[in-house]
Amino acid sequence: MKLDVLFSPIQADELFFTGKTTIVIDVLRASSTIITALANGAKEVVPVGTIEFAVKVSGGIFGGQTLLGGERNTKKIEGFALGNSPTEYSKEIVSGKSIVFYSTNGSRAIVKAKYSANLFVCSFNNLNAVAKHLKQLNEDVIILCSGNNNFFSLEDSVCAGMLINELVNVDKNFTLTDSSKSALTLFKSYGKNILKLLSESDHGELLITNGFESDLKDCAELNSTEVIPHYSANVLKVLK
Amino acid sequence: MKLDVLFSPIQADELFFTGKTTIVIDVLRASSTIITALANGAKEVVPVGTIEFAVKVSGGIFGGQTLLGGERNTKKIEGFALGNSPTEYSKEIVSGKSIVFYSTNGSRAIVKAKYSANLFVCSFNNLNAVAKHLKQLNEDVIILCSGNNNFFSLEDSVCAGMLINELVNVDKNFTLTDSSKSALTLFKSYGKNILKLLSESDHGELLITNGFESDLKDCAELNSTEVIPHYSANVLKVLK
């Protein structure tokens, strides 16, 4: 089994992912938020690549069963019901709903990887569950870090490294690339205190400045759920 | 002083570099080869972004004072006098010559960063000299790792981390980003044995397979020269 990491979605085009098993990580905050929404009973999350498309998609669905969620540069988008804080996606609000979701990095990374044969969303919240599932699948894996406006994100890379660490600890028969070796090294260096890592990361600092400090605590929670968002037919649902 | 690292040229467009101080690193092998050529008396190296342009540029220069050099996917290009092994660029061959140079990653990274206010080429060979010059300049620095076909290269990142380590050891008044922190961490983990690092990197393994093992030893030589290639008016010359 080969484990590879992309530190930014810009490093590959859509066709690169064709037929692959891809794990999308956007710790701050899209993957944490999507996992929370599905764990709290949302029917599905529809990740979209543009705000315009989010509005268009949501307009075609009747009966008040759809919510628009997400952010642009950390802030809630005008006209959207929800931002990108996991805590907004509570049972009362999301249960049974379809959520059309846009975010600067995470939702676009998921859409970019749409041709994957297997596409899952991971954060610290569901890391063990994802690792367990990948062990069963036993396929080569691409871990796609959503990054930060095409740049490198420490928190996504450390999360990728933690996932790799879970996998290589069980089965020594893995091939690592330059990037997966590096992610593993970064996990070993920064993974002991996840909340501290998030607080000191570039994006974490921006979130704190913009008033989202409490989100960091939610995003740092390790293995709080077994829910794995699985992308199929353009939507993310809980993997059964 | 802010130190930032790009792990791949694809992460930014040409205008990103406007007015910046940029260090381009392609340890295996373009930056090592360019440094060797200038250290051995080449008049200048003209990095180009395409093979077609290399041929066109060299055709316009008379008198046998021009050499075409470089590689595509590690191999010498048909019709080119020189490949991308530092050892080919000996005094006898390059002294006094203009070298038009194309390589899959390194020359294209240099061309991409052409709008920088200060643009220098670094490898393990001239690392101390570059660090010393940057300390004098005292500007924010972008370290551009050439990577490997848009992907991440461990050897470029460790070299970036070593350069950062030299800089932060002298002056504690540096700002590090997610990527420069990570490069520094990778240097601390992999920088003790550079030849081993190169031999075990993805690109190093490919070079060994293709018969270029001895190049790795040349590229691993730490601080063998004080020569700093400086880009100005489309050519690289020794910084005076």
Side-chain angles (χ1 to χ4, degrees):
Chain A
M1 192 194 283
K2 187 178 169 188
L3 296 173
D4 200 3
V5 175
L6 294 180
F7 289 124
S8 164
I10 192 83
Q11 294 182 278
D13 60 17
E14 293 184 348
L15 294 179
F16 170 84
F17 297 96
T18 308
K20 297 197 165 133
T21 294
T22 307
I23 307 299
V24 174
I25 294 177
D26 185 3
V27 170
L28 294 174
R29 297 166 284 169
S31 55
S32 309
T33 298
I34 290 167
I35 291 160
T36 303
L38 290 175
N40 282 335
K43 187 184 153 208
E44 61 195 6
V45 175
V46 188
V48 294
T50 66
I51 294 173
E52 292 67 30
F53 193 62
V55 175
K56 197 172 150 191
V57 169
S58 69
I61 308 179
F62 303 110
Q65 294 307 305
T66 307
L67 291 169
L68 275 170
E71 52 77 31
R72 180 162 49 182
N73 299 321
T74 81
K75 307 277 178 59
K76 195 160 102 174
I77 300 158
E78 215 189 305
F80 276 39
L82 301 167
N84 192 14
S85 296
T87 185
E88 294 180 81
Y89 292 71
S90 63
K91 269 200 180 70
E92 296 69 37
I93 304 227
V94 304
S95 184
K97 299 277 169 61
S98 293
I99 296 160
V100 178
F101 187 83
Y102 172 86
S103 70
T104 315
N105 304 299
S107 75
R108 291 163 66 198
I110 296 165
V111 171
K112 190 155 201 182
K114 64 188 168 191
Y115 297 132
S116 304
N118 304 294
L119 175 48
F120 307 109
V121 173
C122 179
S123 79
F124 290 112
N125 302 158
N126 70 347
L127 196 126
N128 254 340
V130 172
K132 210 159 66 180
H133 184 63
L134 289 176
K135 283 172 211 162
Q136 286 168 1
L137 262 185
N138 200 27
E139 300 274 356
D140 291 350
V141 175
I142 303 284
I143 305 176
L144 174 58
C145 297
S146 300
N148 194 357
N149 283 310
N150 297 339
F151 296 126
F152 175 90
S153 270
L154 185 57
E155 69 279 10
D156 291 346
S157 312
V158 170
C159 185
M162 188 182 248
L163 182 59
I164 291 163
N165 189 56
E166 290 283 320
L167 294 169
V168 299
N169 271 348
V170 173
D171 179 348
K172 300 292 171 198
N173 209 13
F174 282 98
T175 307
L176 298 183
T177 63
D178 278 9
S179 55
S180 50
K181 264 187 238 172
S182 298
L184 187 57
T185 301
L186 294 173
F187 160 66
K188 287 178 178 167
S189 199
Y190 294 97
K192 280 168 204 88
N193 186 336
I194 298 170
L195 186 56
K196 182 168 180 279
L197 157 76
L198 298 189
S199 309
E200 293 175 3
S201 71
D202 293 345
H203 197 61
E205 284 181 356
L206 180 66
L207 286 172
I208 292 169
T209 304
N210 291 350
F212 297 108
E213 185 164 1
S214 67
D215 286 358
L216 271 55
K217 224 181 127 213
D218 295 327
C219 296
E221 250 188 82
L222 193 58
N223 302 320
S224 52
T225 177
E226 296 282 307
V227 162
I228 303 175
H230 172 227
Y231 186 88
S232 178
N234 301 317
V235 302
L236 291 159
K237 293 188 179 184
V238 177
L239 179 71
K240 301 285 181 199
Chain B
M1 191 194 283
K2 187 179 169 187
L3 296 173
D4 201 3
V5 175
L6 294 181
F7 289 123
S8 165
I10 191 84
Q11 294 182 278
D13 61 17
E14 293 184 347
L15 294 179
F16 170 85
F17 297 96
T18 308
K20 298 198 162 129
T21 294
T22 307
I23 308 298
V24 174
I25 295 177
D26 185 3
V27 170
L28 293 175
R29 298 167 282 170
S31 55
S32 310
T33 298
I34 290 168
I35 291 160
T36 303
L38 290 175
N40 282 335
K43 187 184 153 208
E44 61 195 6
V45 175
V46 188
V48 294
T50 65
I51 294 174
E52 293 67 29
F53 193 63
V55 175
K56 197 171 150 191
V57 169
S58 70
I61 309 179
F62 303 109
Q65 295 307 304
T66 305
L67 291 169
L68 275 170
E71 51 79 27
R72 181 163 47 185
N73 299 322
T74 81
K75 308 276 178 58
K76 195 160 101 173
I77 300 158
E78 215 188 305
F80 276 39
L82 301 166
N84 192 15
S85 295
T87 186
E88 293 180 82
Y89 292 72
S90 63
K91 268 200 181 69
E92 296 68 38
I93 305 230
V94 303
S95 185
K97 299 278 170 60
S98 293
I99 296 159
V100 179
F101 188 83
Y102 172 85
S103 71
T104 315
N105 305 299
S107 75
R108 290 163 66 199
I110 296 165
V111 171
K112 189 156 202 182
K114 65 187 168 191
Y115 297 132
S116 304
N118 303 294
L119 175 48
F120 307 109
V121 173
C122 178
S123 78
F124 290 113
N125 302 158
N126 70 347
L127 197 125
N128 255 339
V130 172
K132 209 158 66 179
H133 184 64
L134 289 177
K135 282 173 211 162
Q136 285 167 1
L137 261 186
N138 199 29
E139 300 274 356
D140 291 348
V141 176
I142 303 284
I143 305 176
L144 175 58
C145 297
S146 301
N148 194 357
N149 283 309
N150 297 340
F151 296 126
F152 175 90
S153 269
L154 185 57
E155 70 279 11
D156 291 346
S157 312
V158 171
C159 185
M162 189 183 248
L163 183 59
I164 292 164
N165 189 57
E166 289 284 320
L167 294 169
V168 298
N169 271 348
V170 173
D171 180 347
K172 299 294 171 198
N173 209 12
F174 281 100
T175 307
L176 298 182
T177 63
D178 278 9
S179 54
S180 50
K181 263 187 239 173
S182 298
L184 187 56
T185 301
L186 294 173
F187 160 66
K188 286 178 179 168
S189 199
Y190 294 96
K192 280 168 204 88
N193 187 334
I194 298 170
L195 186 57
K196 182 167 181 279
L197 157 76
L198 297 189
S199 308
E200 294 175 1
S201 71
D202 293 345
H203 196 62
E205 285 181 355
L206 179 67
L207 286 171
I208 292 169
T209 303
N210 291 350
F212 297 109
E213 185 164 0
S214 66
D215 286 358
L216 271 53
K217 222 180 130 216
D218 295 326
C219 296
E221 249 189 83
L222 193 59
N223 301 319
S224 52
T225 178
E226 295 283 307
V227 162
I228 303 175
H230 172 226
Y231 186 88
S232 178
N234 301 317
V235 302
L236 290 159
K237 293 190 177 183
V238 177
L239 180 72
K240 301 285 182 201

